[in-house]
Structures are given as structure tokens and as C-alpha cells.
Amino acid sequence: MFGRFSGVFWAPAIAGLALLSVPFQVYRPTRGHLLLLTTFGIYSGVVLFFIYAFSDPFRSPGKLEPVAFERLLSVDLDGKVPKQ
């Protein structure tokens, strides 16, 4: 379910987010509290997505092409600086 990370990472990460959201449950659900809880949820989701996406930068969803590395290898092997 959670990809290449083990439960050693995901269990404390999800538990920590749940524990951080507990203080929002102490007060009545006013518009301000719901806005803060929604903002916290969105921010936490984005952070966990980027951790997951860039855990392996050469596979989806955060796939990056190794263009800079290939350019470095071509300069090292050919002895020429590529034109930009």
C-alpha cells in the first residue's frame, strides 16, 4: 500500500499526524478550527506525498530524467564541453 517504505517509517508518520490532530478535537468545531484542521491535513498530505514521490527519483510519480548525469558522463568520456 505504501510503496517502498517499510512500516517502520509509515507507522510513526501516520501516528504522529493523528496525535498532532488530537488537540483540534478538544474544542467545538467552529469555522476557524475546521479551517486549521483542513489546512493541517492538506499540508501533511502534501509532505507525505513528496516523501513518497521522491524516495526513488527515477520512478513515478516523481520521475526525473538523468539528463545532468548523462551530460557529466559525456563530458568526462569525450573530453568536450557540450554546447548549451
Side-chain angles (χ1 to χ4, degrees), residues 44-59:
S44 301
V46 167
V47 167
L48 288 176
F49 171 76
F50 278 111
I51 290 171
Y52 172 75
F54 292 114
S55 63
D56 185 358
F58 300 113
R59 292 200 320 203

Side-chain angles (χ1 to χ4, degrees), residues 36-79:
L36 286 173
L37 187 59
T38 302
T39 305
F40 174 71
I42 292 170
Y43 172 75
S44 301
V46 167
V47 167
L48 288 176
F49 171 76
F50 278 111
I51 290 171
Y52 172 75
F54 292 114
S55 63
D56 185 358
F58 300 113
R59 292 200 320 203
S60 294
K63 185 175 183 177
L64 298 172
E65 297 297 328
V67 176
F69 184 65
E70 290 171 350
R71 186 182 267 173
L72 176 67
L73 287 178
S74 70
V75 169
D76 190 30
L77 295 175
D78 295 338

Side-chain angles (χ1 to χ4, degrees), residues 3-25:
R4 296 169 294 277
F5 284 110
S6 68
V8 175
F9 171 76
W10 287 111
I14 302 296
L17 293 176
L19 289 174
L20 284 173
S21 68
V22 167
F24 288 110
Q25 311 304 321

